[in-house]
Amino acid sequence: MAPVAPIGAHQLMIFLLQVGLLLLLALALGSLATRLKLPSVVGELLAGVLVGPSLLAHLAPDLQQWLFPAQAGQFHLLDAVGQLGVMLLVGLTGMHLDMGLVRRRAGTAAGVSVGGLVVPLGFGVAAGFLVPGALIPDGADTTVFALFLGVAMCVSAIPVLAKTLMDMKLIHRNVGQLSLTAGMIDDAFGWFMLSIVSAMAVHAVSAGTVLTSLACLVAIVVFALTVGRPLVRGSLRLAARSEGPGPRWPPRSCSSCSPARPRTRWGWRPSSARS
């Protein structure tokens, strides 16, 4: 087996320039957004807009093509680093999530999540049916297009939401915890529905398959709430019983132990003060 060829020098140089430029712009624009009393994530997102095809490709197309060439290997190299950063941000968000508060406010989080799902989904589907036919891609079904638009509207961006709450110092407050919980529920449902609608558009999946998938999703949620939680609690109780009782604290007094020290109202009386 032949050894794998190392990355080329030019490709590595372009990659380092890309990462360096993006980080420099993100820090500069993030600081500018903070000075304007905005979350720093606003400036960090603006950095991608400035060097992307929206602005730099129109102002300096040759520079944009040289710095961000349309090559699969170069693009995937930068995209892998970006995906790694997103996963680290999501993991950091999970570390800040207070599960005790989530359990206590589960009803409120579910209500916020339902509202965040139903309202954008309804308006998106309605807009998909009302949009002119000239804006619908050729050969696309109007129903599938409307469903795709509605599902795309109700999917949130957990990394951006978490970074915004961190910048505003709200992630440890009740509103931040409830927003993260509702966003996670919305994302789980939204990405699941987006995969189904994408399959309908690409592989012409029937409506019966969609209904079956939704029924399976509802069955999984009901099973987790009705059967899964009691099973988890029972296993935790059995594990606690198998470990046996822990050491008693404070320990019981015994004849072989040292005599108890007399106490005053404010604490232990020093030995020199005893009569």
Side-chain angles (χ1 to χ4, degrees), residues 242-269:
S242 62
E243 292 178 358
R248 180 180 176 86
W249 185 262
R252 297 177 179 176
S253 59
C254 59
S255 58
S256 61
C257 301
S258 58
R261 299 172 61 186
R263 294 191 63 178
T264 62
R265 181 181 177 182
W266 306 107
W268 295 106
R269 181 182 302 174

Side-chain angles (χ1 to χ4, degrees), residues 104-127:
R104 292 192 301 269
R105 300 294 184 88
T108 306
V112 175
S113 176
V114 170
L117 277 172
V118 174
V119 175
L121 181 64
F123 278 102
V125 171

Side-chain angles (χ1 to χ4, degrees), residues 3-265:
V4 179
I7 185 173
H10 179 74
Q11 189 177 10
L12 180 60
M13 182 192 68
I14 294 296
F15 169 70
L16 294 178
L17 288 176
Q18 291 173 348
V19 174
L21 178 62
L22 289 174
L23 289 177
L24 182 62
L25 282 178
L27 289 175
L29 296 177
S31 301
L32 179 61
T34 304
R35 291 179 177 273
L36 297 177
K37 307 300 181 182
L38 295 174
S40 61
V41 68
V42 177
E44 294 167 0
L45 292 176
L46 184 61
V49 177
L50 294 179
V51 299
S54 301
L55 186 62
L56 186 61
H58 293 282
L59 298 179
D62 295 334
L63 176 62
Q64 202 273 341
Q65 288 294 328
W66 179 82
L67 189 58
F68 297 94
Q71 300 176 2
Q74 193 75 57
F75 175 80
H76 291 296
L77 189 61
L78 183 63
D79 182 64
V81 177
Q83 294 296 333
L84 181 61
V86 171
M87 288 189 292
L88 290 176
L89 180 58
V90 172
L92 184 62
T93 305
M95 294 172 60
H96 289 282
L97 194 62
D98 185 3
M99 297 306 299
L101 177 63
V102 172
R103 286 192 294 267
R104 292 192 301 269
R105 300 294 184 88
T108 306
V112 175
S113 176
V114 170
L117 277 172
V118 174
V119 175
L121 181 64
F123 278 102
V125 171
F129 282 110
L130 296 176
V131 75
L135 298 178
I136 301 177
D138 297 334
D141 185 35
T142 305
T143 304
V144 176
F145 175 78
L147 288 175
F148 181 84
L149 187 60
V151 172
M153 291 290 291
C154 70
V155 173
S156 59
I158 289 295
V160 177
L161 175 61
K163 189 63 170 61
T164 303
L165 293 174
M166 290 179 185
D167 294 339
M168 299 179 67
K169 303 186 185 303
L170 294 175
I171 193 169
H172 292 293
R173 296 182 179 268
N174 291 352
V175 62
Q177 297 291 313
L178 293 177
S179 300
L180 285 178
T181 305
M184 287 188 296
I185 298 174
D186 291 349
D187 268 12
F189 178 81
W191 286 110
F192 179 79
M193 287 301 301
L194 188 61
S195 63
I196 295 178
V197 175
S198 300
M200 292 175 61
V202 176
H203 303 290
V205 179
S206 61
T209 305
V210 176
L211 294 178
T212 304
S213 302
L214 288 177
C216 292
L217 177 62
V218 173
I220 291 173
V221 173
V222 172
F223 177 81
L225 294 177
T226 58
V227 181
R229 291 180 63 183
L231 287 177
V232 172
R233 289 180 178 177
S235 61
L236 291 177
R237 290 175 182 173
L238 289 176
R241 291 177 182 176
S242 62
E243 292 178 358
R248 180 180 176 86
W249 185 262
R252 297 177 179 176
S253 59
C254 59
S255 58
S256 61
C257 301
S258 58
R261 299 172 61 186
R263 294 191 63 178
T264 62
R265 181 181 177 182

